[in-house]
Amino acid sequence: MQRYILIRIVQSILALLVLTVIVFSLARIAGDPLDVLLPLEATVEDAERVRAAWGLDKPLYIQYFKFLGNALTGDFGESIKHRDQQAIGLVLDRLPATAQLAGLALLVATLIAVPVGVLSAVKKDTFFDYAGKVLALTGQSLPAFWLGLVLMWIFAVHLELVPTSGKSGIRSFILPAIAIGWFQVAALMRLVRSSMLDVLDTEYVKLARIKGVSERKVVWKHCLRNAAIAPFTYFALIMGSLMVGSVSIEFVFAWPGVGLLAVDSTIARDFPVIQAVVIVFCLVYITANLLVDIAYAYVDPRIRFS
Amino acid sequence: MLKPTIVLTIAASLLLVVGIACGGAEEAAPAAPAAAQPTAAPASQQAAAPAATEAPAAPAPSGAQATAVPAIIATATPSPTNTPSAAQASQSVGGRLKIAVTPPVQELVRGWLGTTTSANAQVRPFAEPLVHTDRFDGSLQPGLATEWEISKPDGTQWVFRLREGVPFHGDWGEFTAHDVPHSAAMITQEEAIATDTGLFRGLFGQTQEELLENIRVVDDYTVEFNLLRPEAAMDFVVSAQQGNYFMYSKDQWDTEGFEGYIAGAAGNGPWQFESRQLGVGGNIVYSRVEDHWRQTPHWAELEQINTPEPATRLANLLTGQVQIAEVNRDLHPEAKDGGMIIVESELPSIQVAFVMGGIYSPLSPYHDPTDPHLDVRVREAINRAIDREEINKELFSGYGSPHPVWGFHPSLPGWNSRWAEEFDDKYGFDPDRARELIKESGHEGYPLKLIITQLSGVPEMITMAEAAFTYLQDVGIDVEAEEMEWARFRADFYVPGNTHGTIAPIRGTLRPAEVTLRFYNVSGPEGFQRIVPDPQLDELYAEAISAVNPDVKSTALRNAGDIKFDLYAEVPIVWLPSQIGVNPNEVGEFIWPGNINTAITHMEYITTAQ
């Protein structure tokens, strides 16, 4: 078990190292920050002066090793757009808002997907099954951006039940969480449904029914527990994609999260912030996957002994 | 067997979320001073104060500095700005005035780290330039400087007298002449990216030593600018209209250094900077300064909220989440239906045009005599191919006003009424004539790359360029359109010699014509913005910027405008006002000039609804 965990950790570190090269290169392919940040009328001389002052005139390999060396100590450098602000500080400042929103969106997705998935499996090929599929697929087909605006228009502008935008108390979480969470319902619901169908067809379920266990108990206690393994694995991926993929919703709801910081930094070619955001996101992904792998190994001896 | 799995799942997820959430409390440590240049010790105080030789002259409209030689050209005479309007009398103080704004390109409280527009939106509420801009007509008015004069007839020396008894926020003492060179040192330092950093370095010198030598503190309330070249509009240069030359406290710098400025630079404006959350969804908050020397705000606090999505800004306004919001023109009907009003700036704010590439001066190494854009018939054809009325009606909702010559406006020196009178005849939509001209020129079907790009302040720019594609194809030009973000366009085409065979949309602000000439129409760094159909423009520009006599200057500018107009130098489209959605139930009067680089300014004068 310890060897397994050690191997996974080493793999994660290697993945991160490779990632630093990719992120560093891709960020620079995006273009020159001075093209965005300098005034329209700045001359070539102005650009050269500022480039030198910001250290952007150094050869790329020097910039990379400097970045790598500093990154190992958690220092991603100073933001180019927000001068005198540490890139990692900007990311960590906004990470809680994104994590909270992603957590709530995951809850929304789970609360919709699990009952609907179970119901679809139990009532296979009936109206409930079809209705469940439509509900789930609707969430995936509607662009989150558009859905967010429609929800805002109905529930914030016309019904005045929740704030239109910003992060200002629990009510402000509701619309963005639904807009993001609904998108994940389809995949999660289908996963729950197919897992449930497999389990419902097993011998021990038939035995439970023969023994007279109530249908409710069979489904929600015996079947769901066994069917939950696959969706559980998926949770880690969902959590990651919810954090990374909340950009459009953060845009619509002016949510002070990391997603928008990433977009904003990319547009501004703010290399230090782009690098900090991507590496922090990757750390979240890798950690989540590592935890799931460890949990898997813990519950399934076949994995840890293979 | 399964129970521990589920427990583990939940625990892992919770740990992840909590771990992440807790990480955010960490505050990034401020960086060590980078290119910090300490300001020099006070300069000699031996020079005699300049003599006042004439009675005060009335300030001219925006940028039109009526400069006599040598004459005091402004005094502390109460201006329209400083006189409360009827609506401002007996006003109650409102709570927090919230404004939903498009996130600025740069978020800053130090003016030298961004463009004029960004600085005016965020710095100007708490920091003041030397010369104030009137909110009604955009004219230059006494502010921190109460009077000023050209003290050498050749325009290389100016003297400014400063207001006494103006305190900096946060007990940083009184504003004095020592803060003037200090603030100039800030805006000209190596890493400064202010719009006017280059201009100031050209006026005062490349090094801090030169700068401190050339800005001489005569006494605590008098400062003398010794310029490396004549500048007849120095009062404009040190106003917020030119750029980011705001006054910062030297005492704060000497005591706290960069770290103090990072935490919150002290200014002496009507609002005091309180806090800021960076990024989209972030905000900047100011509090009212009681008994301010110029204008005490009518609201206790001011908050600008960065809200990128136009529909969300409108929703915020309609639901009362904010009292004022930037509302895109295409959403104005919805705003009005919801009981909001659209308020326009007093002056036009943005000029929109297309610029044709390849029009390098014959003296330029990039001059290519075969470039079709060097043929005036082609330039006229392009101008006649575009239906400005339709663009104004369909894209700008009819808000646009005529724009005969790029860089010139009736409120600015150098305007020639002939251009407006002849505009329809010379530039009117006439695709048949355009086709004939292209044919006559021998450039029928010439390949033209139309850049489709967008600049802030004109969300309709992409659609406008798409419309131009159709117009230009229709008159026999082989147009190839390429859409690209502005930064890529700049990287690819603001390069010497790279503009042949291109046309691109552009926008500018309302500023003195010589500024536009400097950036676009004279020989110089051969980037994209070099449209010199006649080298005589170089001479006229030189004459304009060195003229201290306003008539001479105006004549030079008018002659330059004549060349641009008659030779179809650009493809001017419209002038647009700055506009904003306001909730009339909460906000009373809001008057701002709009000529300060499209920014919403003068927020200290916004009254509460009665």
Side-chain angles (χ1 to χ4, degrees):
Chain A
M1 180 70 173
Q2 280 173 344
R3 186 168 170 273
Y4 171 77
I5 293 173
L6 198 67
I7 289 170
R8 291 292 291 109
I9 289 173
V10 170
Q11 283 173 341
S12 302
I13 292 170
L14 281 176
L16 265 178
L17 263 178
V18 172
L19 193 86
T20 58
V21 179
I22 296 172
V23 173
F24 183 87
S25 314
L26 287 182
R28 274 142 189 90
I29 285 172
D32 186 344
L34 298 183
D35 289 332
V36 181
L37 297 176
L38 280 187
L40 200 62
E41 296 86 1
T43 60
V44 175
E45 290 74 27
D46 289 334
E48 292 310 318
R49 170 177 53 79
V50 178
R51 184 170 285 109
W54 289 359
L56 297 171
D57 57 339
K58 304 269 189 306
L60 274 184
Y61 71 92
I62 291 181
Q63 289 186 45
Y64 173 73
F65 284 116
K66 192 179 170 196
F67 151 69
L68 191 64
N70 291 337
L72 287 174
T73 63
D75 176 10
F76 287 83
E78 199 177 273
S79 164
I80 290 173
K81 178 174 176 179
H82 307 291
R83 300 302 297 160
D84 306 317
Q85 297 287 328
Q86 290 298 309
I88 193 68
L90 288 169
V91 176
L92 295 180
D93 226 19
R94 299 168 74 97
L95 201 58
T98 298
Q100 288 160 2
L101 186 59
L104 209 63
L106 184 62
L107 188 68
V108 168
T110 310
L111 287 179
I112 298 173
V114 172
V116 173
V118 170
L119 202 65
S120 292
V122 174
K123 311 267 182 191
K124 190 185 170 196
D125 294 334
T126 64
F127 168 77
F128 292 105
D129 190 15
Y130 298 133
K133 282 180 190 167
V134 169
L135 176 78
L137 284 173
T138 311
Q140 198 139 59
S141 333
L142 297 175
F145 183 85
W146 180 85
L147 179 65
L149 282 175
V150 170
L151 289 174
M152 182 197 294
W153 215 245
I154 296 171
F155 295 101
V157 176
H158 288 287
L159 300 177
E160 297 184 15
L161 295 173
V162 285
T164 48
S165 66
K167 182 172 176 279
S168 55
I170 190 68
R171 283 168 66 233
S172 63
F173 281 80
I174 297 173
L175 294 186
I178 291 173
I180 303 175
W182 196 358
F183 183 79
Q184 298 294 342
V185 166
L188 193 56
M189 175 249 163
R190 288 177 78 88
L191 209 57
V192 171
R193 182 180 177 274
S194 59
S195 297
M196 279 295 288
L197 283 174
D198 288 345
V199 175
L200 281 168
D201 202 32
T202 53
E203 295 300 319
Y204 74 88
V205 171
K206 288 175 189 164
L207 181 66
R209 281 179 175 145
I210 292 166
K211 283 173 72 179
V213 179
S214 71
E215 186 63 14
R216 194 176 152 195
K217 217 169 182 177
V218 168
V219 172
W220 294 102
K221 190 176 175 188
H222 299 290
C223 295
L224 184 58
R225 278 187 181 182
N226 282 297
I229 293 181
F232 162 60
T233 320
Y234 191 59
F235 272 170
L237 295 174
I238 289 187
M239 189 61 193
S241 63
L242 280 172
M243 288 188 68
V244 180
S246 56
V247 174
S248 61
I249 289 302
E250 288 186 4
F251 189 88
V252 169
F253 290 98
W255 192 264
V258 186
L260 267 186
L261 181 69
V263 173
D264 199 31
S265 314
T266 308
I267 291 170
R269 282 84 155 123
D270 193 345
F271 304 143
V273 178
I274 297 171
Q275 287 156 185
V277 168
V278 175
I279 288 181
V280 166
F281 270 155
C282 289
L283 270 173
V284 170
Y285 253 119
I286 288 171
T287 310
N289 279 294
L290 190 65
L291 286 175
V292 169
D293 285 349
I294 293 169
Y296 243 46
Y298 177 75
V299 298
D300 190 344
R302 285 172 302 179
I303 294 173
R304 60 175 181 262
F305 292 122
S306 62
Chain B
M1 180 66 187
L2 286 172
K3 207 168 184 176
T5 314
I6 294 169
V7 171
L8 259 177
T9 310
I10 295 167
S13 305
L14 280 175
L15 266 175
L16 182 66
V17 172
V18 170
I20 290 163
C22 292
E26 192 177 319
E27 190 64 42
Q37 294 86 11
T39 54
S44 157
Q45 299 187 5
Q46 295 167 4
T53 53
E54 278 186 17
S62 161
Q65 294 75 26
T67 307
V69 185
I72 289 184
I73 56 172
T75 72
T77 310
S79 66
T81 299
N82 295 331
T83 311
S85 69
Q88 287 182 312
S90 67
Q91 268 287 315
S92 58
V93 178
R96 178 177 281 199
L97 176 62
K98 294 181 181 179
I99 306 180
V101 297
T102 311
V105 177
Q106 292 103 351
E107 292 169 67
L108 58 145
V109 290
R110 284 159 293 150
W112 55 91
L113 292 179
T115 62
T116 307
T117 306
S118 297
N120 267 291
Q122 299 161 87
V123 177
R124 198 171 180 280
F126 76 89
E128 294 272 307
L130 283 177
V131 173
H132 183 61
T133 302
D134 185 76
R135 65 188 171 122
F136 291 97
D137 62 8
S139 61
L140 300 177
Q141 298 284 348
L144 287 177
T146 54
E147 48 190 53
W148 49 89
E149 66 181 347
I150 296 176
S151 42
K152 274 189 183 170
D154 65 356
T156 57
Q157 189 180 72
W158 284 69
V159 172
F160 284 75
R161 298 218 180 87
L162 308 179
R163 189 178 298 273
E164 296 182 27
V166 174
F168 276 108
H169 305 149
D171 300 325
W172 285 111
E174 189 189 358
F175 165 71
T176 67
H178 301 287
D179 300 305
V180 177
H182 165 73
S183 302
M186 294 290 108
I187 202 172
T188 52
Q189 59 184 288
E190 284 297 316
E191 67 163 6
I193 55 168
T195 302
D196 45 4
T197 293
L199 172 69
F200 274 74
R201 288 166 74 94
L203 287 171
F204 299 125
Q206 300 290 315
T207 65
Q208 298 293 297
E209 290 72 26
E210 276 183 286
L211 178 140
L212 295 167
E213 194 181 306
N214 289 327
I215 303 179
R216 200 167 66 85
V217 175
V218 177
D219 59 43
D220 277 356
Y221 304 104
T222 310
V223 66
E224 181 184 275
F225 291 115
N226 294 291
L227 310 177
L228 297 176
R229 64 162 177 79
E231 176 53 70
M234 198 59 199
D235 46 356
F236 177 85
V237 168
V238 299
S239 75
Q241 288 180 56
Q242 168 63 49
N244 314 2
Y245 186 31
F246 296 101
M247 295 300 117
Y248 290 90
S249 164
K250 184 175 185 300
D251 280 352
Q252 187 188 11
W253 172 265
D254 291 343
T255 309
E256 296 185 342
F258 247 116
E259 289 187 12
Y261 274 32
I262 292 166
N268 43 32
W271 304 94
Q272 181 167 351
F273 171 75
E274 290 292 340
S275 65
R276 174 181 70 169
Q277 188 184 11
L278 289 166
V280 173
N283 66 355
I284 185 163
V285 179
Y286 315 85
S287 62
R288 144 195 169 110
V289 173
E290 298 295 338
D291 303 318
H292 186 260
W293 57 275
R294 180 168 59 76
Q295 173 66 42
T296 304
H298 299 276
W299 298 76
E301 290 178 304
L302 170 68
E303 179 182 11
Q304 295 182 41
I305 307 167
N306 296 336
T307 314
E309 169 57 33
T312 307
R313 291 198 297 271
L314 174 62
N316 287 349
L317 181 66
L318 293 174
T319 55
Q321 223 164 293
V322 299
Q323 293 98 334
I324 296 175
E326 289 180 18
V327 179
N328 284 14
R329 274 178 280 274
D330 59 337
L331 294 174
H332 284 182
E334 282 86 347
K336 288 174 184 169
D337 288 348
M340 303 298 123
I341 55 171
I342 302 297
V343 180
E344 275 185 26
S345 57
E346 296 296 298
L347 295 166
S349 189
I350 303 174
Q351 49 180 330
V352 184
F354 286 96
V355 284
M356 298 167 279
I359 312 176
Y360 295 106
S361 161
L363 308 173
S364 163
Y366 305 105
H367 179 79
D368 174 3
T370 64
D371 191 305
H373 290 163
L374 289 179
D375 190 321
V376 69
R377 290 168 296 187
V378 174
R379 299 201 296 268
E380 182 181 350
I382 289 176
N383 269 286
R384 286 188 177 279
I386 290 176
D387 189 346
R388 293 171 175 79
E389 270 183 40
E390 195 67 11
I391 287 176
N392 185 26
K393 189 178 145 202
E394 295 299 327
L395 297 184
F396 299 119
S397 308
Y399 287 115
S401 54
H403 182 20
V405 185
W406 171 248
F408 288 81
H409 186 267
S411 68
L412 300 173
W415 175 255
N416 187 346
S417 56
R418 172 177 78 87
W419 305 332
E421 288 158 16
E422 295 179 7
F423 187 64
D424 280 344
D425 281 346
K426 286 179 73 84
Y427 285 73
F429 179 53
D430 189 347
D432 294 332
R433 178 71 188 131
R435 271 183 225 106
E436 282 171 23
L437 285 163
I438 292 281
K439 200 177 267 181
E440 280 172 26
S441 72
H443 293 294
E444 204 172 4
Y446 83 94
L448 176 65
K449 178 176 272 189
L450 170 69
I451 311 294
I452 298 181
T453 189
Q454 167 123 37
L455 278 163
S456 61
V458 191
E460 303 89 348
M461 197 173 256
I462 287 178
T463 324
M464 184 183 82
E466 286 167 351
F469 177 85
T470 312
Y471 288 133
L472 296 175
Q473 265 207 331
D474 191 42
V475 299
I477 299 172
D478 180 14
V479 191
E480 177 204 347
E482 186 175 351
E483 189 164 346
M484 61 181 79
E485 61 167 330
W486 166 254
R488 209 200 110 201
F489 170 53
R490 180 184 194 151
D492 289 353
F493 294 99
Y494 273 54
V495 186
N498 247 18
T499 67
H500 292 287
T502 63
I503 185 167
I506 194 104
R507 65 110 173 85
T509 53
L510 181 66
R511 52 195 173 190
E514 64 268 30
V515 180
T516 303
L517 289 176
R518 171 156 53 93
F519 288 139
Y520 294 89
N521 299 116
V522 293
S523 304
E526 302 283 356
F528 180 80
Q529 301 159 331
R530 294 296 145 202
I531 306 148
V532 193
D534 186 331
Q536 210 193 330
L537 283 169
D538 287 344
E539 293 161 30
L540 292 167
Y541 168 73
E543 197 178 323
I545 60 163
S546 59
V548 287
N549 182 316
D551 292 335
V552 173
K553 178 177 184 167
S554 194
T555 304
L557 291 174
R558 187 163 48 250
N559 291 339
D562 280 340
I563 290 175
K564 276 159 64 85
F565 180 73
D566 293 330
L567 295 183
Y568 300 91
E570 296 95 1
V571 190
I573 303 296
V574 284
W575 276 102
L576 292 169
S578 182
Q579 292 166 310
I580 196 135
V582 171
N583 184 341
N585 299 319
E586 299 198 47
V587 175
E589 185 183 80
F590 183 16
I591 294 169
W592 84 106
N595 63 335
I596 304 183
N597 291 277
T598 76
I600 301 163
T601 56
H602 296 71
M603 289 173 271
E604 59 274 19
Y605 295 99
I606 300 174
T607 61
T608 55
Q610 294 295 325

